[in-house]
Amino acid sequence: NMNRLFTLSKWLHKYAGLVLILFLAWMSASGVLMNHPDLIAGISVPKWLVPPQYPIENWNRSAMTQLLFSEWDPRLAYACGKQGVWKSTDGGRNFSRMAIGFPEALFYRKTAHLYLWEGPYPVLLAATNNGLYACDLPADQWRRLPFGEPGEEFKKIVRVGDSLVVFSESHAYRSPLPAKGLRFEKIPFSRSEPEPRVTLVRLFFDLHDGKVWGLPGKLLFDVAGIILFFLSISAFYAWYYPWKRRREKARSALKSSRPLRRLFKWFLKYHLKLGMWAAVILLIMGGTGLFMRPPLLAALAYGSIPASLYPGALPDNPWDQKIHNALYDPLDNRLVVQATDGMWSGPADFSGPFVPTALDVPIFVMGATVMEPAGESGYRIGSFNGIFEWQRSGHPPLDLLTGQPAGDVSAVRPAEMMITAYWETPDGRAFVNTHRQGIVPLGGGGEVPFGMPPALREGYRMPLWNYLFEIHNGRFFEDLVGKWYILLVPLGSLLFVLITLSGVFDWLYLNIFRKREPQRH
């Protein structure tokens, strides 16, 4: 019966909508702002506005993603991470920030990798969220090297013979050594794949924010996000005003307020109009949002579609926004690149195409955080799945945390020890850094001799973009709801889809279906 279905749909739209008002308001506002990181890059959030699990202890939360020591002076060390670059002159016990000439905005200070050249004209290079920076030593003053594209995130610096190769998220650049006159040039490098494909993770994320249709798509989804914020506010007032009137009537204190009544009618009118205009985009937002977080993210982790089925225009560059990490294998004279669509290897001089490479090493869906040669013939690879050593011998990868062969590991379920860094000290001790626990001696036991600067602990601030991202993915509420925070986004997205569908049905019923029903006399 259409009438009963309408009654049920109207009830669902009203009460599920009331439950989700705050959820949809914060999702819409944070989504619009996150779509334009450059506009908010200079804004950061103070420590007192950040939940307790975020401020840094023991260099955790990627505050240190690399520590390298000078070969000339073991007391001299450099570290990098999300908060920038640090220098130690006492073997890592104390650090000071290297800030002169470095980006002032916290968002752009995030540094993925350092490279120290101690030949003639010593220099320290930093691959950051805002390009490649060089620091002439011992002057300790940074300068941005004039190459790369605007907003390009740099990931890894690799020495290959007498040259340096720098990987960004989309490109490779090469410069000859020595470092006095670094001149990086873009190196085109191709991929050998029978049919170009797009991962389902990228497809859903690009659909979620409109990026699949380029800048016009992002702007269209921004408008839809603003409409969603308006729908949240108007839904509350459309419920609150009649509720307030009923209470006043029950107390015989009914007051006439024409401005409030006009506001109610205006909100209701445009709630219906804008909701219908934006319904398709809102359904895309909600439907893809279901898969942004576990458990449904697992359904996308290993899937892909032919590039020809991608609904928008793909860049000509097959590496566009795919590169996570890389290493140079001197034994084979090859480069190995870890990308969002797997592991690839190719000749170190880029003379031929890169081909898919299977290493049988567990790598979390967010990508490899550690990737470097190990021993004479192996690789050391770490991610939120742990840290492993792969050898050409054909034996299973070795789990460096347990000393046992690696077992089956899910790419979408993080391990207890989520690895963000690995390094060795001049005296041979090995350490890993983990997302939650911070620095841990590999093999257990012993002190952690790496002191955190007071400015990092007491003056902690979070870039606004990251703050909004933590709200948008639900992790912000972990202290409030515990481990159930992981269900906030999937459940909220499911209800949002149901609310949108019920709103569309209600409008169709009132404006089309009911008018077609035979009139009763």
Side-chain angles (χ1 to χ4, degrees):
N1 183 293
M2 192 69 76
N3 287 334
R4 288 183 179 178
L5 187 58
F6 171 67
T7 301
L8 176 62
S9 176
K10 188 168 66 171
W11 181 90
L12 173 66
H13 192 78
K14 177 179 180 179
Y15 290 104
L18 287 174
V19 169
L20 284 194
I21 281 175
L22 288 178
F23 175 85
L24 296 179
W26 90 58
M27 283 299 205
S28 56
S30 60
V32 170
L33 290 172
M34 286 166 53
N35 237 5
H36 304 280
D38 289 342
L39 297 180
I40 59 174
I43 306 173
S44 59
V45 179
K47 180 178 179 179
W48 64 273
L49 284 175
V50 178
Q53 75 263 28
Y54 287 99
I56 298 166
E57 295 291 339
N58 191 26
W59 294 100
N60 65 346
R61 307 197 68 85
S62 297
M64 185 187 290
T65 54
Q66 185 188 7
L67 177 62
L68 58 87
F69 290 83
S70 165
E71 294 183 359
W72 292 358
D73 181 357
R75 297 169 300 174
L76 184 60
Y78 300 94
C80 70
K82 280 189 174 181
Q83 299 282 320
V85 181
W86 308 82
K87 177 181 180 180
S88 173
T89 57
D90 56 6
R93 292 193 174 273
N94 297 281
F95 289 87
S96 58
R97 190 188 300 277
M98 299 178 69
I100 301 175
F102 214 61
E104 293 185 9
L106 267 176
F107 181 76
Y108 291 135
R109 277 189 215 163
K110 180 181 177 182
T111 305
H113 194 244
L114 298 175
Y115 179 82
L116 178 61
W117 166 258
E118 293 189 288
Y121 315 104
V123 67
L124 179 68
L125 298 177
T128 79
N129 256 15
N130 190 38
L132 187 72
Y133 281 75
C135 182
D136 297 314
L137 303 176
D140 290 358
Q141 182 165 344
W142 296 98
R143 53 190 168 87
R144 190 180 188 278
L145 297 182
F147 73 96
E149 299 181 357
E152 190 170 16
E153 296 182 17
F154 282 74
K155 300 294 186 179
K156 193 67 175 282
I157 308 163
V158 180
R159 182 173 179 180
V160 180
D162 293 329
S163 65
L164 288 181
V165 176
V166 179
F167 288 94
S168 74
E169 58 186 343
S170 303
H171 301 105
Y173 301 87
R174 183 170 57 193
S175 173
L177 288 169
K180 180 181 180 181
L182 291 171
R183 298 180 301 277
F184 283 95
E185 296 182 355
K186 186 184 295 184
I187 305 297
F189 65 121
S190 60
R191 294 154 54 119
S192 176
E193 47 187 336
E195 180 184 33
R197 301 186 69 83
V198 176
T199 65
L200 288 179
V201 171
R202 175 167 184 174
L203 172 65
F204 274 62
F205 273 75
D206 286 358
L207 283 170
H208 188 68
D209 61 10
K211 190 189 301 178
V212 69
W213 296 291
L215 180 59
K218 292 181 69 172
L219 294 176
L220 181 62
F221 274 59
D222 287 343
V223 172
I226 294 170
I227 289 174
L228 180 56
F229 189 84
F230 171 82
L231 295 177
S232 304
I233 303 303
S234 59
F236 174 77
Y237 194 78
W239 165 82
Y240 171 76
Y241 178 76
W243 174 82
K244 177 175 175 290
R245 297 277 292 176
R246 287 194 299 271
R247 285 190 53 138
E248 290 174 348
K249 186 175 181 179
R251 298 198 309 265
S252 300
L254 193 61
K255 299 177 182 178
S256 177
S257 175
R258 288 185 179 180
L260 293 181
R261 184 175 179 81
R262 283 199 296 267
L263 182 62
F264 166 74
K265 289 184 176 180
W266 185 84
F267 268 139
L268 191 59
K269 175 183 177 181
Y270 286 100
H271 184 91
L272 296 172
K273 284 182 176 291
L274 294 176
M276 283 300 297
W277 290 345
V280 173
I281 297 178
L282 296 181
L283 283 173
I284 293 174
M285 286 181 175
T288 52
L290 269 168
F291 296 86
M292 296 293 98
R293 299 286 295 150
L296 292 183
L297 179 62
L300 307 181
Y302 303 104
S304 64
I305 61 168
S308 59
L309 297 181
Y310 187 78
L314 286 168
D316 294 333
N317 177 14
W319 300 99
D320 183 67
Q321 296 183 5
K322 292 181 179 178
I323 298 173
H324 282 309
N325 213 322
L327 64 81
Y328 170 61
D329 184 340
L331 200 62
D332 289 339
N333 193 30
R334 295 178 71 79
L335 287 163
V336 182
V337 175
Q338 194 269 313
T340 57
D341 53 358
M343 199 78 75
W344 301 77
S345 67
D349 60 358
F350 297 95
S351 59
F354 280 57
V355 297
T357 302
L359 294 183
D360 192 30
V361 177
I363 299 178
F364 191 64
V365 67
M366 291 169 58
T369 53
V370 176
M371 198 166 165
E372 59 192 29
E376 296 183 356
S377 61
Y379 307 152
R380 186 179 300 113
I381 298 178
S383 71
F384 277 17
N385 281 144
I387 187 162
F388 305 89
E389 189 170 294
W390 173 87
Q391 293 291 336
R392 284 180 173 79
S393 61
H395 295 298
L398 181 69
D399 187 333
L400 296 182
L401 296 175
T402 65
Q404 301 297 318
D408 292 332
V409 179
S410 167
V412 295
R413 188 170 56 249
E416 176 65 24
M417 303 283 275
M418 296 182 281
I419 302 299
T420 57
Y422 171 95
W423 65 83
E424 296 176 3
T425 59
D427 61 2
R429 297 182 66 193
F431 293 85
V432 292
N433 201 356
T434 65
H435 180 70
R436 293 187 182 275
Q437 299 90 345
I439 298 174
V440 178
L442 197 61
E447 66 166 337
V448 175
F450 310 108
M452 270 180 45
L456 188 56
R457 181 185 294 106
E458 299 161 9
Y460 174 80
R461 298 181 70 91
M462 180 183 285
L464 178 60
W465 191 94
N466 297 89
Y467 188 79
L468 295 172
F469 181 70
E470 295 300 299
I471 291 176
H472 205 75
N473 64 33
R475 280 196 296 259
F476 190 87
F477 306 99
E478 184 176 0
D479 271 0
L480 186 63
V481 298
K483 63 181 180 180
W484 300 107
Y485 83 92
I486 202 170
L487 298 178
L488 285 176
V489 171
L491 290 179
S493 298
L494 177 61
L495 282 178
F496 175 44
V497 169
L498 294 176
I499 291 168
T500 306
L501 289 173
S502 64
V504 171
F505 174 80
D506 293 351
W507 187 92
L508 292 174
Y509 176 82
L510 293 172
N511 291 274
I512 298 177
F513 300 143
R514 192 168 68 173
K515 292 180 179 180
R516 294 179 179 177
E517 292 179 355
Q519 299 296 317
R520 296 181 181 177
H521 299 286

